[in-house]
Amino acid sequence: MAAVVLGDVLPLIGVALGAAGAFAGQFLAMRETKKEAATAAAAVLRAERKEFFLEFLEACQRAERSAEHHFHAGQRAKDAAELTHQVWFRQKCIALVASPNAQRAAEGFALALTAAVHDGTPEGVHISELLRDKRNRFLDAAAAELGTDIQG
């Protein structure tokens, strides 16, 4: 009789072990899938941030050329309003996806640049000197956000 019971129990143990192994395998596979999905989502967000940072910098570069015109010609460029509008639009795009630190840095750079485009620079101060600190703060914040911070 013991042999009959053992004959019935051993297959059940095998089924239980097989089911446990299948569940464990599914759990590990699902955990890896979640990690992969999180990694992919982080990569998409990083790419989006990078795109917004680059578009902001491009708008700032155009506005900075306008500020240089103001510095050299002593008068505001005709397209100054449109250029600063683009800077502020791009700054708002950054506000949608970036950290508070990067948002503040972009806003500080945009404020300084807007003032330089519309009001010029103090006597004897070149535009690049006036904007250097704000630009570098933004670049440092963007680099840190993208994981490319080479300074620290």
Side-chain angles (χ1 to χ4, degrees), residues 10 14 22 27-28 40-41 50 58 60-62 64 73 103 109 131-134 138 146:
L10 282 180
F27 173 76
L28 292 174
K50 181 179 178 184
E58 186 178 316
C60 288
Q61 188 64 40
R62 287 191 301 271
E64 195 169 334
Q103 291 174 32
F109 187 24
L131 297 175
R132 182 177 298 121
D133 182 51
K134 299 291 185 180
F138 172 72
L146 295 174

Side-chain angles (χ1 to χ4, degrees), residues 23-41:
F23 284 130
Q26 282 294 103
F27 173 76
L28 292 174
M30 187 170 43
R31 190 172 72 179
E32 282 303 309
T33 301
K34 285 181 181 180
K35 284 182 186 176
E36 291 169 2
T39 300

Side-chain angles (χ1 to χ4, degrees), residues 3 19 40 62 65 100 105 113 118 144:
R62 287 191 301 271
R65 277 195 304 266
L113 188 53
H118 290 287

Side-chain angles (χ1 to χ4, degrees), residues 18-134:
F23 284 130
Q26 282 294 103
F27 173 76
L28 292 174
M30 187 170 43
R31 190 172 72 179
E32 282 303 309
T33 301
K34 285 181 181 180
K35 284 182 186 176
E36 291 169 2
T39 300
V44 167
L45 181 58
R46 182 189 181 281
E48 189 173 52
R49 285 178 177 152
K50 181 179 178 184
E51 180 182 338
F52 285 155
F53 290 155
L54 291 174
E55 289 172 351
F56 175 72
L57 286 171
E58 186 178 316
C60 288
Q61 188 64 40
R62 287 191 301 271
E64 195 169 334
R65 277 195 304 266
S66 178
E68 285 181 14
H69 170 80
H70 195 167
F71 176 78
H72 293 296
Q75 64 183 21
R76 188 180 331 161
K78 291 177 182 154
D79 59 351
E82 177 58 30
L83 293 172
T84 55
H85 170 76
Q86 284 300 313
V87 168
W88 284 104
F89 172 74
R90 297 300 176 190
Q91 184 274 333
K92 289 175 188 133
C93 292
I94 288 173
L96 294 173
V97 296
S99 69
N101 185 43
Q103 291 174 32
R104 284 189 300 274
E107 183 177 13
F109 187 24
L111 282 168
L113 188 53
T114 298
V117 168
H118 290 287
D119 304 328
T121 61
E123 186 68 34
V125 178
H126 193 272
I127 184 69
S128 62
E129 184 181 339
L130 180 72
L131 297 175
R132 182 177 298 121
D133 182 51
K134 299 291 185 180

Side-chain angles (χ1 to χ4, degrees), residues 132-152:
R132 182 177 298 121
D133 182 51
K134 299 291 185 180
R135 181 188 309 107
N136 288 342
R137 283 186 191 170
F138 172 72
L139 291 172
D140 290 345
E145 187 126 338
L146 295 174
T148 58
D149 185 11
I150 57 174
Q151 295 180 2

